Amino acid sequence: MRVPLSWLREYVDLPATETGRDVQAKLISAGLEVETVEQLGAGLTGPLVVGKVLTIEELTEFKKPIRFCTVDVGQANGTGEPQEIICGARNFAEGDKVVVALPGAVLPGDFRIAERKTYGRVSRGMICSGDELGMGDDGTHGIIVLPPEHEVGTDATVLLELFDEVLDIAVTPDRGYCLSMRGVARETATAYGLPLRDPALLDVPAPNSYGYPVQITDPIGCDRFTARTVVGLAPEARSPIWLRRRLQKAGMRPISLAVDVTNYVMLELGQPIHAYDRSRLDGPIGVRRAEAGEKITTLDGTVRVLDAADLVITDNRGPIGIAGVMGGANTEIADPVTDPETGIVTGSSEVVIEAAHFDAISIARTARRHKLSSEASKRFERGVDPQAAAAAAQRCVDLLVLLAGGTAEAGVTEISAPSAPRTITLPANHPDKVAGVDYGRETVVRRLQEVGCDVYGQDELIVTVPSWRPDLSEPNDLAEEVIRLEGYENLPSTLPKPPAGRGLTERQRVHRRVGRALSGAGYVEALNYPFTSEQVFDQLGLDADDTCRRVVKLVNPLSDEEPVLRTALLPGLLGALRRNDSRGSHDLALFETGLVFLAGEKPGVAVRLGVDRRPTAEEIAEVNAALPAQPRHVAVVVAGAREQAGWWGKGRPADWADAVEAARTVAREAGAELIVRQGQYGPWHPGRCAELLVLVDGEERTVGYAGELHPRVVKSFGLPARTSAMELDLDLVEAASEGPLKAPRISSFPVATQDVALVVAADVPAADVQAALSEGAGALLESVRLFDVYTGDQLGEGTKSLAYALRFRAPDRTLTVEEATAARDAAVALASERTGAVLRGA
């Protein structure tokens, strides 16, 4: 909303010294968003005067038509002689009054006016257009032609109100009343503590039975309709300068007197007005819902197909306007036309004024449905004062009678649905509790009365809300009004006092330790969106009945290509790996921890909770039961070189063992013992896939898989060759732990190391052999590590050699060679019994 300061002063007696910046600060303090203050006329200096065109000589010897004019500017040029001016515009004639910039004037944009020789003549000044003076578009794009009554030599800067300040206010949806001078003036008066001259306080005649007939068949969509008729309008009447200038300053283009008056009243009172040419109306005006498929040509010349939910204005022929949005072209006010032979001006001489109140939601939906946002729809969808319709219609009638010589017919049509004022019960100390400030009852009552409320009561206030504030509907709204008028800047700044915390939970500590451990191992964390597509499961090669295919679908996904919540982290990580590889980073190690969403066999339906009370424990449990399971997973992907080549060596490419080691790193940080076995699942290579298990309550549970990805998956995702990956259920790994990690007791006695090489069948898992060695060695074993795997002709076909390093240590003594050897032999014996292992070379 653009608010000229000169117009605002008509309703509020602001101090003469107050500038637009001062008013801006006051309104911002009151809660309005005043974005800018525009200085109209900045850089403009005179002399700028009214002149009368005496003669026009057409200069035809040039490429474009040029006119050499003599203009009477009175004594403004110091001589009283006619001023000679060259001009290319053609929308004025001899005898017209125009605006003349004399030599020495400076126009906006630092355009300096001086005598100069051009087109073989000397031009001593310039005949000005509205654009050249910074006035905005007046629809002509030509020279300003003034009414004949203005005296030659008059200062045009005053006549055209070229110097002013305009406040540009961003009106929020809850303050629709500020889309009018009346609303902004009310806020200004309150901010300054000054009285308001309300432009809506007019004497309005009572409705009677002989006004223009109106029929409303949808009282919900239109609860108030006022119609007035003005006849005898002079078609040649033009909008006066003051009216056109106010419209221009407010950002609207002058069109014709009748249309300008309706726009002016809308800006002044906030009530959209529509004027019909009565001679083009056929029968009574009606308000109803459109019939599906009905068509209307609106004022912008567009043929629109109406929806059954659209509210329309009709006559006997059908729709003549989209209610609250835009009128129809078949009843618009005709532009005045001058007969070139007789000079007689013809145009609309009888108009019917409509001032109605429409349902805000209906208008908003219609405007969006037709992609047709108008000044009227902006106001209706934010809430228009229903009590202002009669005053707005009267204001239009008064202006048309005054400016166009019309006569107001005595008939007054006013149809309104019965309604009661809205009241809110408010404890007098409620604003105090909300703000944490002791305002007191007197301040609360005074501020609410300044807003326009009627207030009764003592400790319990009965507040009647004014008709122009549809946003006030509950006690907190009234508390906000008191707080903002008292000044947000006066609220005390106090920090909340949160209860003392207990630090991170053990689960949070595990997640952070896992992240730090993987980062320390050279992995980079990648955060991906939790959305994916169902096609990605085909790319991963998952079975049709795989539980990962049971997904939670979103009703309003961010992207139609990814409409479901992820059930695994790998798809997002593989996409990140592909993007980085395609951009030149070929040696990659990425990890991610995050939630996955596992839908149950039957989709849950959550109960809709009310907002009037706190949900009960049962209701909260029911909502939680309807949610999908959301375990936290951890996943890694590696490709390219795991160790870089250099002077220190050849380096090493990443392989399946790196993915398995990442899983072991996670398990160590969680305090769980990971069981690694050969496995086969979905996206992994069947011969290079490890199944990862943990013991939970004595039962082995599969927590994930690690290894090299299947070549088909690598090709489908566009990944580097031999890409490896790991994903496991971090919550399940944590459940297998023995609780918080405890610092081990380090023995001060030396370690005894024994190496064994065992020959087993090629299909025996190394993990089974290692488990047997650990159990057989007993309590003296500190650690066991596989450090070599050998296959070759020396062993025979179908066998392999596994070499382990066993570390023995006692907490209270130095072990003897015999004790270490006995423990080793016991370990080998149990491994031989369980896996058929024999000592190599025995």
Side-chain angles (χ1 to χ4, degrees):
M1 176 70 184
R2 289 172 56 86
V3 179
L5 189 59
S6 61
W7 193 356
L8 186 62
R9 290 181 183 275
E10 282 200 3
Y11 312 118
V12 183
D13 290 327
L14 294 172
T17 57
E18 287 293 284
T19 67
R21 295 290 182 190
D22 298 327
V23 177
Q24 177 188 30
K26 284 284 190 179
L27 292 180
I28 289 176
S29 178
L32 294 184
E33 297 180 16
V34 185
E35 295 185 330
T36 60
V37 177
E38 183 181 349
Q39 303 289 333
L40 299 185
L44 173 65
T45 60
L48 194 70
V49 299
V50 175
K52 180 179 180 180
V53 180
L54 300 177
T55 63
I56 298 177
E57 179 184 351
E58 301 288 347
L59 305 180
T60 58
E61 63 269 26
F62 303 101
K63 292 183 179 180
K64 62 179 182 178
I66 297 297
R67 310 171 100 184
F68 179 69
C69 309
T70 58
V71 184
D72 180 11
V73 294
Q75 297 299 318
N77 58 4
T79 64
E81 297 294 326
Q83 203 78 2
E84 298 175 339
I85 300 175
I86 292 288
C87 185
R90 312 194 65 78
N91 68 313
F92 64 96
E94 292 180 357
D96 282 345
K97 298 287 182 68
V98 294
V99 178
V100 178
L102 298 175
V106 179
L107 303 187
D110 197 28
F111 183 59
R112 299 180 179 276
I113 306 300
E115 291 187 6
R116 62 191 182 97
K117 186 173 182 181
T118 179
Y119 296 103
R121 306 291 178 97
V122 176
S123 181
R124 297 179 172 84
M126 187 173 78
I127 302 176
C128 301
S129 68
D131 289 335
E132 290 164 339
L133 297 179
M135 295 172 56
D137 182 18
D138 62 357
T140 64
H141 299 289
I143 293 302
I144 299 172
V145 179
L146 300 171
E149 64 267 18
H150 296 293
E151 186 177 349
V152 169
T154 302
D155 185 354
T157 61
V158 177
L159 176 66
L160 299 178
E161 302 177 11
L162 297 180
F163 298 107
D164 204 349
E165 294 180 278
V166 178
L167 285 69
D168 194 350
I169 303 176
V171 178
T172 52
D174 62 328
R175 300 202 181 278
Y177 66 96
C178 285
L179 286 172
S180 67
M181 293 300 302
R182 181 194 185 200
V184 176
R186 184 180 299 278
E187 291 294 326
T188 306
T190 303
Y192 278 91
L194 297 171
L196 169 71
R197 285 188 291 274
D198 191 343
L201 295 180
L202 300 174
D203 291 330
V204 179
N208 50 56
S209 60
Y210 42 91
Y212 197 90
V214 175
Q215 299 171 353
I216 298 178
T217 59
D218 190 339
I220 296 177
C222 177
D223 59 3
R224 185 176 295 269
F225 196 107
T226 300
R228 300 289 299 276
T229 304
V230 182
V231 298
L233 299 177
E236 69 276 7
R238 299 174 56 194
S239 300
I241 292 176
W242 65 266
L243 177 57
R244 296 204 303 269
R245 288 297 293 136
R246 287 189 172 178
L247 292 177
Q248 288 175 321
K249 292 176 185 179
M252 302 190 76
R253 179 172 62 88
I255 298 174
S256 64
L257 177 58
V259 176
D260 292 349
V261 165
T262 60
N263 287 336
Y264 179 84
V265 173
M266 178 185 68
L267 291 173
E268 184 180 49
L269 301 181
Q271 168 68 54
I273 302 289
H274 191 73
Y276 302 94
D277 187 332
R278 189 167 77 165
S279 64
R280 305 174 75 175
L281 287 172
D282 182 6
I285 293 175
V287 183
R288 61 169 172 83
R289 297 288 172 176
E291 297 177 6
E294 275 189 306
K295 295 182 179 180
I296 183 176
T297 303
T298 48
L299 289 173
D300 58 0
T302 303
V303 178
R304 303 184 186 276
V305 179
L306 298 173
D307 187 90
D310 293 335
L311 194 67
V312 294
I313 311 298
T314 65
D315 64 4
N316 290 337
R317 297 166 298 180
I320 59 173
I322 304 177
V325 180
M326 185 173 286
N330 57 345
T331 58
E332 71 174 317
I333 303 299
D335 293 332
V337 178
T338 304
D339 190 307
E341 296 182 358
T342 63
I344 298 175
V345 179
T346 58
S348 298
S349 60
E350 298 181 355
V351 298
V352 176
I353 302 297
E354 166 208 304
H357 184 262
F358 301 111
D359 176 61
I361 295 177
S362 175
I363 300 305
R365 289 175 176 170
T366 296
R368 283 154 182 75
R369 187 180 299 118
H370 293 283
K371 297 180 175 60
L372 185 60
S373 179
S374 63
E375 291 293 332
S377 68
K378 289 178 184 177
R379 287 163 172 81
F380 277 122
E381 65 189 30
R382 286 167 172 80
V384 169
D385 181 5
Q387 303 295 332
Q394 183 63 43
R395 180 73 165 133
C396 279
V397 170
D398 292 343
L399 288 173
L400 288 174
V401 170
L402 175 66
L403 302 177
T407 301
E409 287 193 346
V412 177
T413 301
E414 185 169 333
I415 300 176
S416 60
S419 61
R422 289 176 294 118
T423 59
I424 302 172
T425 301
L426 174 76
N429 62 348
H430 183 67
D432 302 5
K433 293 180 178 180
V434 173
V437 177
D438 187 13
Y439 292 125
R441 179 187 177 280
E442 291 184 2
T443 299
V444 171
V445 171
R446 175 171 56 85
R447 288 303 189 184
L448 292 179
Q449 288 174 341
E450 289 175 352
V451 170
C453 300
D454 291 331
V455 185
Y456 303 95
Q458 292 299 319
D459 295 338
E460 197 83 356
L461 302 179
I462 307 299
V463 182
T464 302
V465 177
S467 58
W468 60 84
R469 293 299 302 271
D471 58 304
L472 303 181
S473 58
E474 59 178 69
N476 283 335
D477 296 331
L478 300 178
E480 181 186 359
E481 292 299 297
V482 174
I483 295 168
R484 77 176 180 89
L485 293 179
E486 283 295 305
Y488 292 122
E489 68 277 7
N490 296 324
L491 291 177
S493 179
T494 56
L495 294 176
K497 297 179 180 179
R502 299 180 180 178
L504 300 177
T505 65
E506 181 58 27
R507 183 170 185 262
Q508 291 170 328
R509 291 192 184 98
V510 170
H511 296 164
R512 295 195 180 189
R513 286 202 305 269
V514 167
R516 286 194 295 267
L518 290 176
S519 297
Y523 290 87
V524 177
E525 186 172 15
L527 301 177
N528 298 293
Y529 285 117
F531 312 117
T532 188
S533 64
E534 295 184 86
Q535 290 74 24
V536 76
F537 303 127
D538 297 329
Q539 293 179 273
L540 292 174
L542 300 183
D543 295 336
D545 59 348
D546 195 290
T547 56
C548 282
R549 289 183 178 270
R550 289 207 298 263
V551 295
V552 177
K553 292 187 178 182
L554 301 174
V555 176
N556 54 341
L558 293 179
S559 169
D560 292 336
E561 297 179 357
E562 296 180 331
V564 301
L565 291 174
R566 67 188 178 190
T567 55
L569 299 181
L570 270 187
L573 269 184
L574 295 178
L577 182 75
R578 180 183 65 248
R579 284 191 297 274
N580 283 275
D581 180 71
S582 66
R583 295 171 185 175
S585 298
H586 303 301
D587 302 324
L588 296 163
L590 307 177
F591 84 94
E592 181 178 10
T593 61
L595 300 180
V596 298
F597 306 87
L598 307 178
E601 295 183 2
K602 295 182 179 180
V605 179
V607 63
R608 185 180 295 275
L609 300 178
V611 296
D612 57 334
R613 57 177 176 82
R614 185 185 187 280
T616 64
E618 292 76 13
E619 289 173 332
I620 295 175
E622 188 176 352
V623 170
N624 289 334
L627 297 177
Q630 301 176 48
R632 184 176 291 272
H633 280 203
V634 58
V636 303
V637 291
V638 288
R642 189 72 177 111
E643 297 176 3
Q644 295 293 332
W647 57 266
W648 52 85
K650 295 182 180 180
R652 180 179 67 82
D655 61 15
W656 63 269
D658 294 298
V660 175
E661 181 58 29
R664 288 197 173 102
T665 299
V666 171
R668 280 195 298 271
E669 293 299 326
E673 184 176 349
L674 194 67
I675 302 172
V676 181
R677 292 181 183 160
Q678 184 175 359
Q680 183 174 345
Y681 178 70
W684 280 276
H685 193 294
R688 298 168 189 156
C689 174
E691 183 181 9
L692 310 175
L693 306 97
V694 293
L695 285 174
V696 179
D697 297 330
E699 180 186 354
E700 288 188 355
R701 299 280 298 275
T702 300
V703 293
Y705 294 86
E708 182 180 315
L709 294 178
H710 197 288
R712 287 197 299 267
V713 175
V714 170
K715 181 179 180 181
S716 176
F717 280 91
L719 305 173
R722 310 299 292 271
T723 295
S724 298
M726 177 276 293
E727 180 167 353
L728 55 78
D729 186 331
L730 187 54
D731 286 348
L732 202 52
V733 172
E734 185 183 354
S737 71
E738 298 179 356
L741 290 178
K742 298 179 180 179
R745 183 179 180 276
I746 305 300
S747 175
S748 59
F749 295 95
V751 66
T753 303
Q754 296 274 356
D755 292 345
V756 294
L758 303 177
V759 178
V760 297
D763 59 351
V764 174
D768 292 350
V769 177
Q770 181 170 324
L773 288 173
S774 298
E775 184 178 344
L780 294 178
L781 182 68
E782 184 176 83
S783 68
V784 57
R785 178 176 62 86
L786 175 68
F787 67 86
D788 184 53
V789 178
Y790 173 75
T791 58
D793 296 337
Q794 297 180 9
L795 299 177
E797 186 176 355
T799 60
K800 62 183 177 182
S801 172
L802 304 176
Y804 292 91
L806 286 73
R807 291 167 57 92
F808 299 96
R809 196 193 316 253
D812 56 350
R813 69 188 186 280
T814 299
L815 292 177
T816 64
V817 174
E818 290 75 13
E819 288 177 310
T821 302
R824 181 202 65 184
D825 292 344
V828 172
L830 187 59
S832 176
E833 178 186 340
R834 291 188 177 178
T835 65
V838 297
L839 281 172
R840 185 176 175 184

